[in-house]
Amino acid sequence: MEAVQATSSAAGCSRASITGLVLAGGMGRRMGGEDKGLVMLAGRPMVVHVLAALRPQVGPLLVNANRNQERYAAFGHPVIADEIDGYQGPLAGVLTALRHCTTELLVTAPCDAPLVAPDLVARLCVALDAAEADLAVASDGERQQPVFLLLRTTLAPSLEAYLGGGGRKIDTWFGQLHVAVADFSDEP
């Protein structure tokens, strides 16, 4: 996998062809069970920061949440719950979104990362197009950030098979795909 630095807008990715997904479906175990997306930061829930950052970069925007769905819906975007029971991790939310996606591409960001790069989608698109890959993942220069993804919606059957076979680790699923890495080392 070769990291690609974005230098221009991606020709193959138009805003209208990309659905944004904010992943807020977890149990918040590392935060004592608190719903991470609803934790306040600078006077607003963290999810609001992520939604505001993604809004100008995508067409439709979804929130994946398995609890507090009414509170998430109040932010003005459709809320979808995992269609796989038991809090199976972020890939369960990605699969649900792929099943509901009406665009060619899906970009994902976690609800607890309020400082989403304003060119996240553009950089991921450049990497995806340059490598003619199945998906693009962000890298901070030291390691991949696997919940910052841009993937083709045609990957739904692959992800469904992976999860159906008991897989849960994002990087293990990546091993079956042609993955491009988008370089964000200048904005770790």
Side-chain angles (χ1 to χ4, degrees):
M1 291 182 269
E2 183 178 321
V4 175
Q5 183 74 37
T7 56
S8 64
S9 64
C13 298
S14 70
R15 181 177 170 210
S17 70
I18 304 167
T19 296
L21 174 67
V22 178
L23 293 163
M27 295 175 64
R29 288 186 197 111
R30 291 184 297 251
M31 294 187 76
E34 198 165 348
D35 195 327
K36 294 184 288 188
L38 300 174
V39 170
M40 299 299 282
L41 176 70
R44 301 185 307 171
M46 277 200 283
V47 70
V48 172
H49 296 274
V50 179
L51 288 166
L54 282 181
R55 177 74 261 148
Q57 300 185 57
V58 299
L61 192 52
L62 304 170
V63 176
N64 167 241
N66 293 310
R67 22 182 215 152
N68 299 311
Q69 292 174 325
E70 300 80 23
R71 289 182 66 192
Y72 282 108
F75 301 122
H77 301 284
V79 177
I80 55 173
D82 292 353
E83 293 176 351
I84 299 173
D85 292 332
Y87 292 93
Q88 301 291 326
L91 287 178
V94 172
L95 177 59
T96 299
L98 288 172
R99 289 175 174 168
H100 292 268
C101 201
T102 59
T103 59
E104 300 172 47
L105 300 165
L106 176 72
V107 68
T108 68
C111 66
D112 59 346
L115 301 177
V116 173
D119 61 350
L120 172 71
V121 175
R123 289 186 188 206
L124 289 169
C125 284
V126 167
L128 185 79
D129 286 349
E132 297 180 4
D134 297 319
L135 65 83
V137 61
S139 171
D140 64 13
E142 293 184 27
R143 64 186 189 103
Q144 292 179 8
Q145 301 298 318
V147 287
F148 289 98
L149 293 176
L150 177 68
L151 58 158
R152 299 184 190 283
T153 55
T154 56
L155 290 176
S158 167
L159 182 52
E160 189 164 359
Y162 177 70
L163 291 171
R168 297 290 173 265
K169 295 185 67 109
I170 294 175
D171 53 349
T172 303
W173 180 56
F174 285 1
Q176 304 171 16
L177 306 169
H178 181 193
V179 177
V181 178
D183 182 9
F184 284 85
S185 60
D186 62 319
E187 289 189 50

